[in-house]
Amino acid sequence: MRASLASSIAVACAAALALPVTLVAPATATARPAANALPPAQDELPGSTQSLPLRPLGASVRTFGTDPGAAGEQGLTRRDVRPFSLVGVVWDDPAAALHGTVQVRTRATADGVWSPWQDVETHNEEHGADPGTAEGATGTLRGSTAPLWVGDSDGVEIRVRGEAGGGTAPLPAGLRLELVDPGEAPEASDAGAAPAPRTRAMAPPAVLTAAEAAASGVNSQLAPYGATAIPAADPARETAAGETLTGETLTGETLTGETLTGETLAQEAAEPAAAKKKPYIGPRPKIITRKGWGADEKIREKGFVYTKTIKAAFVHHSATGNNYTCGQAPSVLRSIYRYHVKSSGWRDFGYNFAVDKCGNIYEGRAGGVAKPVLGAHTLGFNTNSMGVAVLGTFTSTNPPAAVVTAVARLTAWKLGLHGVNPKGTQTLVSGGGNLYKKGRKVTFHTIAGHRDGFATECPGGRLYGKLGTARASSAKYQGRS
């Protein structure tokens, strides 16, 4: 029976592929794929990734209006796949750039309607670890586009088109489509919104795993082990109560079974001297922890890597699109996290913090929200800085006021711990990039946009235009005139 069914499906698929493409309507409802027609799942929840190699597309496939062989075109025709919510494209060589256009269309799980073609941001090399660092030199790294959130989907079509014209580099080798399922949501979201569709409540484990305990333990002076959120607090009251502003004091021993790496433990644990002397520390905002947004601590690398201090904050947009609800933000984060680690080969989530369009603030890369965790967000300037990613795309869309306020509150607190004025400037040393050569000293606004350190559109013109407001507000939250 199974053999007969498989044979029938194969014949049907072959017949469908033989039909002229023009017969397929741009947005139609189609029947749900049979469960045994799809490849088996390779990963268990809370998430999974399907990695599909791209193939050359022939002239019979829809193109951009010119001969697909002129510059090279790869992709996949419409197909049924296991459920996913985020897409991206990766390739073998992280140093190779994708000069061209990537477009996808997806079929919604809820109603079977195909989306219009959507552009995927191809310029993503400006994110990632600095050249010459352990993370930047690992053999697991791949080139990648920015990820795109498409919502609950079970069908996909993609086309990757190289730039036309003489002398254009060919498409990178080893192009693959990555389809990411964020998996189950935590039992309760601290974002204060309804859970995302197609997610089931997951009861928290009675005992934290070693990796979960380690990620939670570095915040244990700010919230209990296993907490889904770090509450808002006034640092002046914390100081009066004798608490350590920068989190748990570390020793030479292993913390919660996970050895710390990077700078010396003294540098990692020491409360910044400037923060002790100056009163300019903004109230700590509520921060949803990795536990709160459902990070799978097993997939990241063990250990935490720190830089010496935090002198500046680089603001980004995730370029994942704005088609998400705030209740879906934890799912978006789990998807980006899995894409960064499993697809792009990074050690962890790239940004130190994330902000959704409702102004909720999330812990990003593990290591402690009050500590100088080394991120992979601004190529060439990750050292002595922090990266804040606003979920969405703000090239032509204005960020909500809640986003700007959240960025201001977060930076007022975190920069204040290090005695930094949000309205001032700071000098960083380039680790290498397309704007500044390695070793060059560059002066930035303390709260800067990604484009200030690298030739990129990030964080989008509309969000970049609001950074002046964020600087002024952040300084006011610190009590500066």
Side-chain angles (χ1 to χ4, degrees):
M1 182 65 180
R2 291 181 179 175
S4 176
L5 178 59
S7 177
S8 298
I9 292 172
V11 172
C13 292
L17 291 176
L19 290 174
V21 178
T22 54
L23 295 180
V24 181
T28 58
T30 58
R32 300 273 63 77
N36 59 353
L38 304 181
Q42 298 299 314
D43 297 325
E44 298 296 330
L45 294 176
S48 62
T49 302
Q50 302 169 71
S51 186
L52 309 177
L54 302 189
R55 300 182 178 90
L57 294 177
S60 62
V61 179
R62 280 186 300 268
T63 69
F64 294 96
T66 58
D67 178 10
E73 186 175 20
Q74 295 185 36
L76 295 172
T77 55
R78 287 189 182 187
R79 64 196 56 223
D80 299 334
V81 292
R82 299 197 313 275
F84 68 97
S85 296
L86 179 139
V87 304
V89 173
V90 300
W91 53 92
D92 295 340
D93 184 1
L98 196 165
H99 297 287
T101 306
V102 177
Q103 291 186 315
V104 297
R105 59 184 313 182
T106 56
R107 185 181 60 202
T109 303
D111 55 18
V113 173
W114 284 89
S115 73
W117 286 106
Q118 300 184 75
D119 292 324
V120 177
E121 175 58 60
T122 59
H123 300 291
N124 197 46
E125 69 274 11
E126 64 268 22
H127 299 85
D130 289 346
T133 62
E135 183 177 4
T138 179
T140 63
L141 292 180
R142 301 182 186 91
S144 62
T145 67
L148 177 68
W149 175 261
V150 295
D152 297 338
S153 306
D154 59 12
V156 69
E157 181 178 8
I158 181 171
R159 55 192 186 187
V160 179
R161 172 83 177 191
E163 288 181 350
T168 302
L171 293 174
L175 289 171
R176 303 183 70 88
L177 173 64
E178 302 289 288
L179 305 175
V180 181
D181 176 5
E184 296 178 334
E187 183 178 37
S189 170
D190 287 280
R198 201 180 54 77
T199 57
R200 303 188 303 276
M202 180 174 62
V207 179
L208 298 177
T209 66
E212 289 171 336
S216 182
V218 285
N219 292 320
S220 63
Q221 287 293 318
L222 307 178
Y225 275 85
T228 58
I230 296 169
D234 187 336
R237 294 180 197 158
E238 291 181 346
T239 302
E243 296 182 9
T244 303
L245 290 174
T246 54
E248 185 172 11
T249 301
L250 307 179
T251 66
E253 299 177 353
T254 300
L255 178 64
T256 60
E258 199 161 333
T259 304
L260 302 176
T261 59
E263 303 293 335
T264 64
L265 286 168
Q267 291 172 331
E268 296 166 6
E271 181 180 354
K276 294 179 180 179
K277 297 177 181 178
K278 295 185 177 182
Y280 300 122
I281 304 174
R284 186 182 70 229
K286 176 184 175 181
I287 302 172
I288 299 169
T289 64
R290 291 170 64 91
K291 181 71 174 176
W293 56 263
D296 181 358
E297 301 296 352
K298 299 188 300 295
I299 70 173
R300 65 174 172 83
E301 287 188 13
K302 292 183 178 180
F304 309 124
V305 183
Y306 298 89
T307 186
K308 291 182 179 180
T309 186
I310 300 297
K311 299 173 66 176
F314 286 100
V315 178
H316 305 252
H317 66 175
S318 62
T320 47
N322 303 314
N323 189 27
Y324 73 94
T325 67
C326 294
Q328 290 175 314
S331 294
V332 176
L333 287 169
R334 292 197 303 277
S335 298
I336 297 174
Y337 171 45
R338 178 169 282 272
Y339 184 74
H340 282 177
V341 176
K342 290 293 190 179
S343 300
S344 303
W346 300 0
R347 75 184 316 273
D348 193 355
F349 189 81
Y351 308 102
N352 299 102
F353 296 93
V355 174
D356 69 24
K357 58 187 176 184
C358 290
N360 298 301
I361 301 171
Y362 301 85
E363 178 183 16
R365 179 164 287 207
V369 297
K371 301 181 187 300
V373 178
L374 181 66
H377 49 84
T378 306
L379 187 70
F381 294 101
N382 291 306
T383 299
N384 296 336
S385 72
M386 59 184 273
V388 181
V390 179
L391 300 182
T393 303
F394 300 100
T395 304
S396 57
T397 301
N398 288 323
V403 164
V404 182
T405 299
V407 170
R409 288 186 178 276
L410 174 61
T411 52
W413 170 70
K414 186 64 182 276
L415 293 175
L417 296 180
H418 298 267
V420 176
N421 184 347
K423 291 198 299 184
T425 58
Q426 293 289 330
T427 299
L428 301 175
V429 179
S430 174
N434 66 358
L435 275 184
Y436 303 106
K437 294 182 178 180
K438 184 176 182 179
R440 180 172 174 179
K441 295 182 178 180
V442 184
T443 300
F444 295 99
H445 286 292
T446 300
I447 300 177
H450 187 185
R451 63 174 62 181
D452 294 323
F454 202 96
T456 174
E457 287 293 318
C458 185
R462 298 295 181 89
L463 179 55
Y464 186 79
K466 297 292 185 180
L467 295 187
T469 301
R471 295 180 194 112
S473 297
S474 182
K476 288 182 180 179
Y477 287 130
Q478 282 190 352
R480 299 178 187 269
S481 57

